[in-house]
Amino acid sequence: MLIASSFLFAFLLACLGLYTLYKVRLIHLQLSELRELWPQGPLYLFRQLEALHSLYVDLALEKSLPGTRGWAGSPDFLMELANHARAHVPARVVECGSGTSTLVLARCMQLNGAGKVYSLEHDAHFAEQTREQLRRHGLSDWAEVLHAPLQQHALGGAVWSWYASGVLPAELRFDMLVIDGPPMATGELARYPAGPLLFHRLDGGASVFMDDAGRPDEQAILHRWKNEFPAFEQSSRYCEKGCAVLRQGSH
């Protein structure tokens, strides 16, 4: 009995030692990652806080915006949209993917005293959440969230998942396009169809903003668009997740 107890104690002690070594190793790896990120981490965080503060001040927002982390547009990207909308006063804005950016753009239309945002959203629940936020901010007259479930579209010999056709007003042309959807999880090169399905409806001198432009999929999409739509000049803005800007003709 004593031998069995001693063996069990030694076994438990060995297990405890191995677990402790595992945790120490895990902490060491996490600290190594933090050391690698530390030179840039505070700078990026400060940049986002600075941009978020600028949004509240420049747009005179009286109520809080939804979160700007995760899938939502980062504050620096939202600032790019707001700066363009305030400076160029677009009459009609189409947005792929609704959310915080919808509120920011709608507020810009309100401050401009003209313009309207049409936001395509494939998720009915999220579309209603965005509508509720618009009501909360008193911006419902300046933006319309259109529920557009993803459907199959045949483009260039391939089938792509994209927002339902016929949801946007048939004769609608627009001078600002924001591409922040569909989510990457819906398929490879998920945002590519925006080019062949929407670019021809842009007015001359229009601008296109694409979020998440630093990702490999978005880089591949931009490369395809460059070949297929040579009339659009491409440039980039320094944003947390990457921001590509396409302009058609002189602006």
Side-chain angles (χ1 to χ4, degrees), residues 26-247:
L26 185 61
I27 292 171
H28 173 73
L29 291 173
Q30 291 174 336
L31 287 174
S32 296
E33 292 178 358
L34 286 174
R35 281 196 296 267
E36 291 176 1
L37 293 173
W38 181 252
Q40 293 182 331
L43 176 61
Y44 279 116
L45 177 60
F46 182 80
R47 177 180 172 81
Q48 298 313 311
L49 292 173
E50 192 174 43
L52 187 60
H53 175 71
S54 296
L55 280 171
Y56 278 95
V57 172
D58 294 350
L59 300 184
L61 295 170
E62 297 181 356
K63 291 183 172 61
S64 61
L65 291 171
T68 57
R69 300 288 79 196
W71 289 347
S74 295
D76 53 4
F77 178 73
L78 298 175
M79 274 302 300
E80 291 289 344
L81 301 183
N83 288 339
H84 179 85
R86 292 288 283 144
H88 297 275
V89 194
R92 293 163 298 279
V93 179
V94 168
E95 181 187 35
C96 302
S98 71
T100 307
S101 55
T102 313
L103 303 179
V104 168
L105 289 166
R107 176 59 174 163
C108 290
M109 304 297 105
Q110 185 183 51
L111 292 173
N112 291 344
K116 188 166 184 178
V117 181
Y118 297 86
S119 185
L120 298 171
E121 177 55 56
H122 76 286
D123 186 300
H125 176 69
F126 198 74
E128 185 53 38
Q129 284 186 327
T130 304
R131 294 188 192 107
E132 177 56 36
Q133 285 289 339
L134 288 168
R135 289 191 287 268
R136 176 173 173 263
H137 284 262
L139 296 170
S140 297
D141 292 339
W142 302 96
E144 184 176 357
V145 181
L146 304 169
H147 179 219
L150 298 182
Q151 295 180 348
Q152 300 300 301
H153 298 259
L155 298 170
V159 177
W160 301 82
S161 183
W162 187 252
Y163 301 101
S165 58
V167 176
L168 283 173
E171 303 302 319
L172 180 71
R173 296 185 64 83
F174 37 95
D175 40 6
M176 183 177 179
L177 173 62
V178 179
I179 306 170
D180 195 15
M184 185 172 62
T186 61
E188 186 178 3
L189 308 185
R191 298 172 185 180
Y192 164 76
L197 292 177
L198 293 178
F199 282 8
H200 68 282
R201 300 179 67 171
L202 289 162
D203 282 331
S207 292
V208 180
F209 289 79
M210 184 163 74
D211 195 12
D212 305 306
R215 299 189 306 200
D217 265 29
E218 275 64 27
Q219 286 295 307
I221 291 169
L222 288 168
H223 181 72
R224 291 189 64 155
W225 285 349
K226 189 171 185 178
N227 293 327
E228 296 175 14
F229 305 97
F232 287 82
E233 298 179 355
Q234 296 187 10
S235 61
S236 61
R237 303 285 173 80
Y238 180 71
C239 287
E240 180 182 38
K241 301 174 186 174
C243 171
V245 181
L246 289 76
R247 284 201 173 95

